[in-house]
Amino acid sequence: MKLDSVAVGFGTAPIAPVMTALGLDYAATPWQRRDSGDAGNWHHDVPLDRRWWGTYLVRARSLAEARSLLPLLRSEGKAQRFVLVIEGHAPHQDAAAWTSRHLATKAQAAGRIVPGLGFATVIDGGKWVPIHAAATAALAGAGPAGSVPVLGGIRAGVLEPGDRSWLAGDTLASLVTPDMLSPDDDDIFAVDVIVGQLPRPLPRIEGRVTPQAWVPRPHDLPPVDTAVISPQGFNPYADGPVVDLAAGAALDAVAFTGPELASLRNAAYVSIDGTQFAAMDRALARRLAELSVAGVPLLASHLSAGVEAMLGDTLVRRIASFDPADPPVQRESKSIELRRAAIEEFAPRQRWNRVLQGLGLPLAAEPTVSVLLATRRPDKVGSALAQIARQSWQQLEVVLVLHGFDQYDPAAQQAIAGYQGQLTVLSVPSQTIFGDVLNAGTKVAAGDYLTKMDDDDWYGPDHIRDLVRSAEYSGAQLVGAQVEFVYLEALDITTRRPPLGEQYSDHVAGGTMLLRLDDLRRLGGWRPVHRAVDRCLLQAVLAADGLIYRSHGQNYLMHRHSAVDSHGGHTWNPDDSTFLQSVAEQWDGFVPPPQIQAGPLAFAGRSTNFSSYFSTDNRG
């Protein structure tokens, strides 16, 4: 029996050149073409277990479009060969900061760059290949975080292929075909929530969850697929001009492509004149939502009431806050606030939680975080707990490990009694090595994530929130921040080391690390060493084939005290001169980045042998 082959994403374009470029036989079988927007193309008369194909070829214009096709493939059956082609996509470029391990195992082994074609993956093992599983595997090789459920475990579906943006490429999502609306009596429904108007009431059978239908309102926008569109690659010192977003530019696509978004990263600002987008409210609002999630600084004017209603008041205010006269540190701070607001509104799980809330269904719970705070300085307990208390992330517990003293020390006792949140206090002997101090706290932690904070550094109120969100959209096993901002007390100056923006990396600051508690325990916890505890953990994550992601640096300011004896010594204690090398910016006095919102220090004055030549007028 000669099997038909299937081509998705070709329209009327020829199939032969693509197959020839891949070295595959085009003429072996007749071809069917699938239109990703036509529901009729995805409804079959034969049962699922009899849907067999020769070659199943999928072509997409971007990674976002390829991910959006995934729910359509759930009921396509099996093929002798599966092929995915993403035009113009180059994981080697998109993941420039991956380690060589990930470049080798994920970008190169799972697919290849075909000149003139793009990124291609061929799965042909000589056996029948489940098409949905093959597509999921192929997408795992097209990006650093792979293809994972992004809706928090919700089983969601759409009735029309054109609504698939609501599914954000989730691996558990489905196009709901007619046969899926009437499962056998001993079967279950494939989804729990359906986007669209049901053609008829669904049968309700005892012991089986019946899906609820949800019809989007005209001003409801679908989620932004944050596995593709994210703050990764933001350039704090963009030196390009202001770029206009022209009417029609990329508005008909599923989402911005990687190269399109990258081309906007170097722009000082992207300018949008709403009067150029008449009768395009929905398309423009979707692109503004994507640009906002990516943190692209915007200069928007004359947005229609419809566009503003789709974006929401908070996001509109964030967009309106940009000023071309802002210094770089303020421009970046406004970008951080823009991306934070957009992620809270348009990230897939956050967007779907609003839908579920309206339907009275269980929400995807926000993860809990254990803050591991180890200190050998009783006088620092109060200020450290105060910084944790002002964190905007509410699902927190603190594990306080007192190193060499107990909770009845007068300075610590008052601070502990005044803390209003969930707090566990441990005391370990002074001779305990630092790695085991951390292990003692980790042993009693109960959060989904664990993050380590230092007792003498400064943190912004959204520090933990931004780390949790970056862990979600990056898919990395460990996230943290770069040491960018440093206050040198002896010199009474604040420096900023050259920022690298958000990216995959092999290093983050130890006082900002966040990872899943289960992952930390599987790695064996903290190494029992006096120093380099953080470096040992980073090495363990990479050795276990994990990813490390570096978020922005504005939530963290390292405080280098004026004398070792005055603060008990830093675990990492380089000379102050280390923080004066390759400085991007420098300010007189204590000048935290805007995201930290800290007041000035009571400082008697800088060392007598130092004179700053930086004016306070240059502060950002």
Side-chain angles (χ1 to χ4, degrees), residues 20 25 52 58 92 222 275 296 302 356 380 426 481 489 543 559 561 584 615:
T20 301
D25 183 5
W52 302 328
V58 177
H92 303 69
T275 60
V296 175
H302 306 107
L356 297 177
K380 292 294 183 183
L426 304 176
E489 185 179 291
H559 188 155
H561 293 264
S615 167

Side-chain angles (χ1 to χ4, degrees), residues 276-337:
Q276 298 182 16
F277 297 88
M280 302 175 70
D281 281 3
R282 191 169 187 81
L284 176 58
R286 287 188 61 181
R287 289 298 172 263
L288 287 175
E290 291 170 0
L291 290 171
S292 297
V293 166
V296 175
L298 302 172
L299 298 175
S301 60
H302 306 107
L303 297 181
S304 70
V307 170
E308 292 187 346
M310 293 181 204
L311 295 177
D313 292 341
T314 300
L315 204 51
V316 169
R317 287 197 303 272
R318 294 286 182 261
I319 292 172
S321 71
F322 286 102
D323 184 339
D326 285 333
V329 70
Q330 194 65 45
R331 170 184 174 272
E332 183 190 23
S333 179
K334 291 180 178 180
S335 164
I336 292 167
E337 292 172 354

Side-chain angles (χ1 to χ4, degrees), residues 371 373 381 385 388 396-402 407 412-413 415-426:
V371 180
L373 177 63
V381 174
L385 289 177
I388 298 173
L396 283 184
E397 69 160 2
V398 179
V399 178
L400 174 63
V401 187
L402 307 177
Q407 61 187 334
Q413 187 174 20
I416 292 169
Y419 184 73
Q420 300 298 308
Q422 184 177 347
L423 176 63
T424 300
V425 182
L426 304 176

Side-chain angles (χ1 to χ4, degrees), residues 79-117:
Q80 293 174 330
R81 176 195 294 132
F82 178 84
V83 182
L84 173 66
V85 175
I86 306 177
E87 294 180 346
H89 180 61
H92 303 69
Q93 298 170 8
D94 295 346
W98 291 6
T99 65
S100 58
R101 176 188 305 276
H102 287 95
L103 281 172
T105 60
K106 292 193 175 184
Q108 294 173 349
R112 59 192 174 98
I113 304 297
V114 179
L117 193 61

Side-chain angles (χ1 to χ4, degrees), residues 513-534:
M513 290 178 168
L514 178 140
L515 73 167
R516 286 200 169 272
L517 187 56
D518 286 347
D519 286 342
L520 177 59
R521 288 172 173 159
R522 276 193 289 268
L523 290 170
W526 307 90
R527 291 290 294 157
V529 293
H530 283 290
R531 297 182 184 277
V533 175
D534 303 325

Side-chain angles (χ1 to χ4, degrees), residues 14 19 52 92 110 113 154 157 186 189 203 240 273 288 300 351 368 399 409 453 465 535 547 581 602 611 614:
M19 294 289 287
W52 302 328
H92 303 69
I113 304 297
I154 304 162
D186 60 350
F189 287 102
D273 181 354
L288 287 175
R351 202 70 177 150
T368 56
V399 178
D409 181 286
M453 295 177 68
R465 176 176 298 278
R535 184 166 70 246
L547 285 168
Q581 299 170 9
S611 175
F614 289 91

Side-chain angles (χ1 to χ4, degrees), residues 492-506:
D492 192 25
I493 58 174
T494 303
T495 66
R496 185 181 194 183
R497 304 167 87 184
L500 302 175
E502 297 209 14
Q503 59 176 251
Y504 293 93
S505 180
D506 60 2

